[in-house]
Amino acid sequence: NWDDFGKLKQSYSMVDDTHYGVPFDNGAAIACYRTDILEEAGYTIDDLTDITWSKFMEIGKDVHEKTGKYLLTSEATGGDTLMMMIQSCGANFVNDDGEAYIVGNDAAEKCVDLYVDLVKNNVVKLVNNWDEYISTITGGEAAGIVNGNWITATLMGTEDQKGLWQITTMPKVDGVDTATNYANNGGSSWYITSNCKNVELAEDFLASTFGSSTDFYDAILPETGAISCYLPAGESEVYNEPSEFFNNQPIFSTIVEYSSHIPEFTKTPYHYEARECINTAVVNIVNGTDKESALQEAQDTLAFKMTE
């Protein structure tokens, strides 16, 4: 029953309305916050739930002023923050014709404007690489993260922070009618390859496990940490067990629920190239390049990479 999977997750393995795979690993984006740092600044997790990025900036500036902490950390060159921002609007940096679409893309420009302001106002800590990104989190320099839910495994490795983190929805982009508080970053699907010797058996296996069995997902969650894309799994007792690390929130059922709201957007095999180009543009803008020139360069570079 394809209605038992979120529309976005299904679309990753569809061509012309035909299914070619079964969604598996959940990549729904979450926002995670240190509640002790929020409390120090006079906020709770509810203040960061279902908000806009402009409200996030208002709170982040206050948090930094009162605590010296950043409300978010992000990588300068490899970060996914901008990709999640635009995809939460059901948009992308590539259009439906498969062409680079940065200049003249209203959603893209709004995302860039917001992101640059977040950096310039000490709300986002812009770091150079993944190791620095992780150290800002584990070292307590950043009070929050927005990323795919797989980031919870990294957080849970900081035993001294048990009970201090909570999750909620990511902020949504101001001024875009299609904006939501939901995005995706990561995940996977299962496929039957063309050289399969017994297609019927393979189809039956996928349909009876990843495609329909809550018992199956209950069994693999504690053993592997793989979070289901199959929406009914989120209703099970296993998925609704409170997480001690996340202040007893039932994070797994929450993540599955988030995945049902993520909007569809244009897919591209040049995801990482687009990410690199737009992040370079942001760094250049922060360092003084005018926005129009930086975005045009990003557009031209991405268009060139798409011809290679």
Side-chain angles (χ1 to χ4, degrees):
N1 182 2
W2 294 108
D3 290 338
D4 286 335
F5 296 89
K7 295 294 184 184
L8 182 275
K9 197 67 181 185
Q10 291 183 50
S11 71
Y12 278 116
S13 53
M14 293 177 67
V15 178
D16 296 331
D17 297 324
T18 298
H19 291 276
Y20 288 91
V22 178
F24 170 45
D25 189 22
N26 194 313
I30 57 174
C32 307
Y33 299 104
R34 280 274 299 270
T35 55
D36 56 330
I37 297 175
L38 293 181
E39 184 179 358
E40 183 182 348
Y43 298 97
T44 68
I45 195 72
D46 292 339
D47 296 312
L48 278 298
T49 299
D50 294 338
I51 62 171
T52 62
W53 280 105
S54 60
K55 182 64 175 180
F56 180 90
M57 179 150 53
E58 176 187 321
I59 295 173
K61 289 164 69 175
D62 195 35
V63 168
H64 190 268
E65 183 179 331
K66 291 176 178 176
T67 70
K69 310 289 186 182
Y70 295 87
L71 195 50
L72 192 66
T73 179
S74 183
E75 283 186 86
T77 55
D80 286 317
T81 307
L82 267 170
M83 299 303 291
M84 289 183 285
M85 288 174 75
I86 194 167
Q87 290 172 4
S88 72
C89 300
N92 207 340
F93 299 112
V94 174
N95 64 22
D96 291 338
D97 295 323
E99 301 166 337
Y101 183 40
I102 298 173
V103 174
N105 183 337
D106 183 60
E109 293 201 21
K110 283 185 167 62
C111 290
V112 169
D113 288 342
L114 283 166
Y115 191 57
V116 169
D117 284 345
L118 290 168
V119 174
K120 288 184 174 181
N121 284 282
N122 294 318
V123 178
V124 169
K125 172 72 172 179
L126 209 56
V127 298
N128 295 315
N129 54 55
W130 180 256
D131 288 341
E132 289 183 19
Y133 176 74
I134 296 300
S135 68
T136 60
I137 300 166
T138 57
E141 190 175 4
I145 327 162
V146 173
N147 219 323
N149 62 75
W150 40 263
I151 199 66
T152 57
T154 297
L155 294 180
M156 294 171 77
T158 55
E159 188 69 21
D160 61 321
Q161 296 177 13
K162 180 185 290 185
L164 299 180
W165 289 91
Q166 285 189 290
I167 74 167
T168 189
T169 52
M170 66 177 286
K172 71 177 181 178
V173 178
D174 305 71
V176 177
D177 292 340
T178 55
T180 72
N181 294 98
Y182 305 94
N184 188 84
N185 188 25
S188 56
S189 300
W190 287 103
Y191 297 87
I192 300 170
T193 62
S194 60
N195 63 349
C196 178
K197 302 301 183 185
N198 191 332
V199 172
E200 287 187 6
L201 180 62
E203 287 179 342
D204 181 66
F205 170 74
L206 289 177
S208 60
T209 53
F210 298 100
S212 66
S213 175
T214 56
D215 288 340
F216 172 77
Y217 284 110
D218 284 351
I220 67 172
L221 178 65
E223 296 297 325
T224 68
I227 304 175
S228 174
C229 297
Y230 179 60
L231 301 179
E235 301 170 8
S236 75
E237 289 186 12
V238 172
Y239 269 73
N240 279 276
E241 288 181 4
S243 169
E244 185 179 356
F245 188 90
F246 290 95
N247 199 26
N248 293 319
Q249 285 183 301
I251 65 166
F252 299 118
S253 61
T254 300
I255 289 167
V256 173
E257 196 264 329
Y258 286 177
S259 71
S260 70
H261 301 297
I262 305 169
E264 294 183 65
F265 52 84
T266 301
K267 313 302 182 303
T268 171
Y270 300 98
H271 171 86
Y272 289 101
E273 289 84 352
R275 186 180 73 168
E276 179 183 349
C277 291
I278 200 67
N279 276 294
T280 298
V282 166
V283 172
N284 290 340
I285 295 168
V286 170
N287 290 332
T289 303
D290 67 275
K291 185 179 78 172
E292 289 73 19
S293 298
L295 294 185
Q296 186 63 58
E297 182 180 355
Q299 167 111 353
D300 294 343
T301 303
L302 179 57
F304 175 76
K305 287 178 177 291
M306 293 170 75
T307 64
E308 293 182 313

